[in-house]
Amino acid sequence: MMQQITVLGATGSIGLNTLDVIRRHPGRFTVYALTANTAVEQMLALCREFRPRIAVMADDRAAEKLERSLAGEPGTQVLSGQGGLCEVAAAAAVNTVMASIVGAAGLPSTLAAVRAGKRVLLANKEALVMSGKLFMDAVAESEATLLPIDSEHNAIFQCLPPGQVRNLAGAGVRRILLTASGGPFRNHTVDELQRVSPAQACAHPNWAMGRKISVDSATLMNKGLELIEACWLFNTRPDCIEVHVHPESIIHSMVEYVDGSVLAQLGSPDMRTPIANGLAWPERIETGVEPLDLFALGRFHFERPDLHRFPCLRLAAEAFESGGTAPAVLNAANEEAVAAFLGRNLRFCDIPVIIERTLAEIAVATADTFEVILAKDLEAREIARQHISHVH
Ligand code: NDP
């Protein structure tokens, strides 16, 4: 059966990789909707190639511009705002939604796809980090199929027995070994970290990614967010997950069983592999990914993460332990701090400082509704911005 797909965040790194896989399988996938925020020119080119039924620009003015540019061309209706994003995520005709908007902005539309019971390919880890239990409850209630796209979580998913991904004890799993590249500053001293620039932080040694996740990867906050994501996806706790820095990024993560077996998923560092795994699951499809040449690689290395130089991983684990709205506060403060760093208004080393101060200032509340979570997100952004203006 032809799968109808909505790609949320189509102009981003994950969105474009998804469209590259879709492009290779015209008999299997059709694009129902594409979404972006402000990138009109890129969206116009994608609309001309994929002819989606609907294109959504989150930004109203960008939507007007796209509509004018598409005038006279048949087929694509233009919508705008969060309403438009949620509409195409939940549309009856859609089977599969790639949730690849970056940050908290992706929560409402990702959730709309979950509530509509879609096959949801989750790249937007921030949505799950913010709302963990409520998000997973919504998945259970709607019987949506949630498939992890983060390469680490997709690897773990592939190493677990089918149907047992939330029953690790029953499956005989002892622990999860979550791998991390260590980012571009793995060997920097604290002193060197004071002076790193946004361009250096975005130049990841192994992966080509969007700017926000590249900075997260450099601070190790990405691993912290992934630790929380893994706890929710696989129904486990941080003490059953051990982060292993593996600079080659070839082993995408591992699962250790009680009999001593360790299963790993390996591959070239190319997001088209986990994306294709999610699109075609449980089948396998061709992706254009470079085959692995282990002879050329020769060796793999492993190190423990250094929480002194990279405190964000510790902050994330602590926020998960605090529970309630703490992970949403962590995420919001991180988004603000990363945006300030990218705008040259904050030093790299001050990113964890801002997050820690924001977490200390906001009382943890029970995260029993999405409204509470979104209110904490706003409060945390406000406080983080005040701290940023003080240290700047
Ligand atoms: P990018 O920055 O490359 O792309 C983000 C996409 O989201 C763009 O389409 C952008 O539109 C859209 N967008 C941004 N802000 C908004 C908004 N306020 N409302 C609606 N849409 C918005 O990000 P990535 O593709 O790198 O990452 C996307 C998600 O996937 C993140 O959550 C990230 O953590 C996760 N991820 C990414 C990986 C990667 O390899 N890149 C690997 C694993 C996970 P526009 O272009 O108009 O700004």
Side-chain angles (χ1 to χ4, degrees), residues 40-41 43-45 47-48 51 62-73 78:
V40 173
E41 289 308 315
M43 184 60 129
L44 183 62
C47 286
R48 287 183 172 145
R51 295 284 171 209
E64 283 166 24
K65 207 167 156 198
L66 180 67
E67 195 160 25
R68 278 199 303 277
S69 306
L70 280 169
E73 295 184 33
V78 178

Side-chain angles (χ1 to χ4, degrees), residues 115-303:
R115 285 179 169 156
K118 305 299 182 193
R119 173 193 284 241
V120 180
L121 312 187
L122 185 71
N124 179 212
K125 65 191 91 183
E126 296 92 343
L128 182 55
V129 166
M130 289 171 74
S131 65
K133 179 167 180 336
L134 283 180
F135 189 101
M136 295 310 294
D137 286 351
V139 171
E141 208 170 295
S142 67
E143 296 184 25
T145 304
L146 186 64
L147 298 170
I149 296 305
D150 234 327
S151 61
E152 295 78 359
H153 304 72
N154 185 268
I156 295 161
F157 178 80
Q158 292 194 48
C159 294
L160 288 170
Q164 300 262 58
V165 299
R166 292 185 49 76
N167 179 24
L168 299 195
V173 171
R174 187 186 287 142
R175 38 178 208 149
I176 287 172
L177 312 185
L178 185 69
T179 54
S181 68
F185 308 137
R186 184 170 56 89
N187 293 320
H188 277 44
T189 62
V190 171
D191 197 41
E192 287 168 334
L193 287 175
Q194 309 274 358
R195 293 184 296 273
V196 298
S197 69
Q200 288 170 315
C202 290
H204 195 279
N206 306 332
W207 298 94
M209 307 184 287
R211 284 163 69 77
K212 190 260 178 185
I213 187 178
S214 296
V215 177
D216 285 349
S217 184
T219 60
L220 285 203
M221 179 54 91
N222 185 45
K223 216 43 58 181
L225 299 176
E226 288 181 8
L227 180 78
I228 299 174
E229 182 185 13
C231 287
W232 289 115
L233 286 174
F234 306 117
N235 192 23
T236 188
R237 300 194 36 76
D239 48 11
C240 291
I241 301 175
E242 193 169 2
V243 174
H244 286 54
V245 174
H246 162 51
E248 291 83 8
S249 296
I250 297 297
I251 299 176
H252 299 309
S253 277
M254 295 172 261
V255 175
E256 182 183 274
Y257 288 85
V258 289
D259 63 1
S261 298
V262 178
L263 301 196
Q265 188 263 353
L266 285 70
S268 298
D270 187 322
M271 287 307 293
R272 290 176 298 177
T273 297
I275 289 167
N277 183 261
L279 283 170
W281 181 84
E283 293 172 24
R284 302 272 180 179
I285 54 172
E286 200 279 324
T287 55
V289 170
E290 202 57 34
L292 203 53
D293 183 350
L294 290 173
F295 295 118
L297 280 160
R299 279 163 205 268
F300 289 159
H301 297 87
F302 301 96
E303 301 162 10

Side-chain angles (χ1 to χ4, degrees), residues 3-22 29-36 85 88-90 94-102 106 109-114 118-125 127 135 145-151 154 271-280:
Q3 269 192 65
Q4 297 252 23
I5 305 197
T6 285
V7 184
L8 301 170
T11 49
S13 158
I14 293 288
L16 293 173
N17 275 307
T18 303
L19 291 170
D20 188 71
V21 176
I22 289 174
F29 307 116
T30 53
V31 175
Y32 176 84
L34 297 175
T35 86
L85 296 175
V88 297
V94 170
N95 316 97
T96 299
V97 175
M98 167 53 83
S100 57
I101 290 174
V102 61
S109 48
T110 303
L111 190 63
V114 166
K118 305 299 182 193
R119 173 193 284 241
V120 180
L121 312 187
L122 185 71
N124 179 212
K125 65 191 91 183
F135 189 101
T145 304
L146 186 64
L147 298 170
I149 296 305
D150 234 327
S151 61
N154 185 268
M271 287 307 293
R272 290 176 298 177
T273 297
I275 289 167
N277 183 261
L279 283 170

Side-chain angles (χ1 to χ4, degrees), residues 340-341 343-347 350 354 357 385-392:
F341 168 69
R344 295 188 170 274
N345 292 318
L346 190 72
R347 287 180 318 165
D350 287 330
I354 298 299
R357 287 183 187 168
R385 281 198 287 263
Q386 285 168 17
H387 286 301
I388 290 165
S389 67
H390 290 149
V391 299
H392 182 47

